[in-house]
Amino acid sequence: MKESKVDVILHPVRMRIIQHLIHQELTAQQLKEILPDIPQASLYRNIKKLADSEVIHVVNEIPVRGTVEKVYSIHKPGLEISPEEMNKLSKEEHMGLFIQFLANLMGEYERYLNKGNIDLAADGVGYRQNSLYLSDEEFREFVYDLRSIFQKAAAKKPKKGRKRRTFATIFIPSEH
């Protein structure tokens, strides 16, 4: 039986590979240098599994001493998904995109935690989950207000004294 994309991704070694490919393109050799605790054979086997499952993609091939070194990324070149195309995706494709989203957040949080000498309160780090009981109209109003606040903050360009901060939202309706 073929493994689902979710099963392929939810493997500790493969999750680490994915996290390093979120914002960069890397070769297997570069991944080996970044992840020295993973045996080379295991690393290559897991890269192949991710590529065969189309979780990661070859975005370039570099000739090196008579062989070709593949460059991997989690992002498919030229991939932009319209709302119409999103509605046509399968359940598994939606899960794959959602897991990429979560892997990106996990990677950013791990990089923050690994930078040493952190102060979550002073840095404004937080994560929380709330349930909101809103009618469809109240929800649209909430999203409109949130979007307005977000757009105002997003319009601020990088400059001295400003830190890049990641803001993520997930809205999931429930039947309860």
Side-chain angles (χ1 to χ4, degrees):
M1 187 167 96
K2 183 183 174 195
E3 263 185 299
S4 74
K5 196 172 279 195
V6 173
D7 291 332
V8 170
I9 292 170
L10 293 179
H11 180 280
V13 171
R14 293 191 284 264
M15 282 296 294
R16 289 179 63 201
I17 293 167
I18 290 167
Q19 288 173 355
H20 287 285
L21 291 174
I22 293 288
H23 291 295
Q24 54 191 342
E25 299 174 354
L26 299 168
T27 64
Q29 178 63 34
Q30 290 169 318
L31 281 164
K32 187 176 117 185
E33 292 166 11
I34 293 169
L35 303 166
D37 59 310
I38 301 173
Q40 182 173 334
S42 178
L43 180 68
Y44 281 47
R45 186 173 51 254
N46 283 290
I47 290 171
K48 181 175 180 1
K49 183 104 172 168
L50 288 167
D52 289 349
S53 300
E54 297 183 348
V55 173
I56 64 173
H57 308 279
V58 176
V59 294
N60 197 5
E61 293 184 345
I62 304 167
V64 177
R65 295 184 298 274
T67 186
V68 175
E69 192 168 30
K70 295 176 181 176
V71 180
Y72 297 94
S73 174
I74 194 159
H75 302 289
K76 200 172 208 170
L79 179 64
E80 297 223 3
I81 303 172
S82 70
E84 295 80 23
E85 292 170 316
M86 283 293 285
N87 284 330
K88 292 178 185 175
L89 295 177
S90 70
K91 175 184 167 186
E92 186 170 288
E93 289 169 322
H94 278 288
M95 282 304 298
L97 290 172
F98 189 71
I99 289 169
Q100 287 179 11
F101 170 76
L102 293 177
N104 183 28
L105 288 177
M106 289 171 38
E108 289 205 28
Y109 193 63
E110 181 181 39
R111 282 186 288 281
Y112 167 75
L113 294 174
N114 287 338
K115 75 178 194 173
N117 208 14
I118 60 171
D119 183 337
L120 278 72
D123 293 339
V125 175
Y127 47 91
R128 55 197 49 78
Q129 179 176 330
N130 297 303
S131 293
L132 307 173
Y133 294 90
L134 304 170
S135 68
D136 289 346
E137 179 57 36
E138 291 167 329
F139 179 70
R140 279 190 290 277
E141 183 180 341
F142 172 75
V143 170
Y144 176 82
D145 292 346
L146 189 60
R147 186 178 296 132
S148 297
I149 293 167
F150 178 77
Q151 286 173 338
K152 181 180 174 184
K156 298 181 186 310
K157 301 300 174 204
K159 74 176 196 179
K160 187 174 172 69
R162 287 188 177 154
K163 290 181 186 176
R164 180 181 169 272
R165 300 173 191 272
T166 297
F167 176 80
T169 58
I170 302 171
F171 295 117
I172 304 171
S174 174
E175 296 303 315
H176 300 356

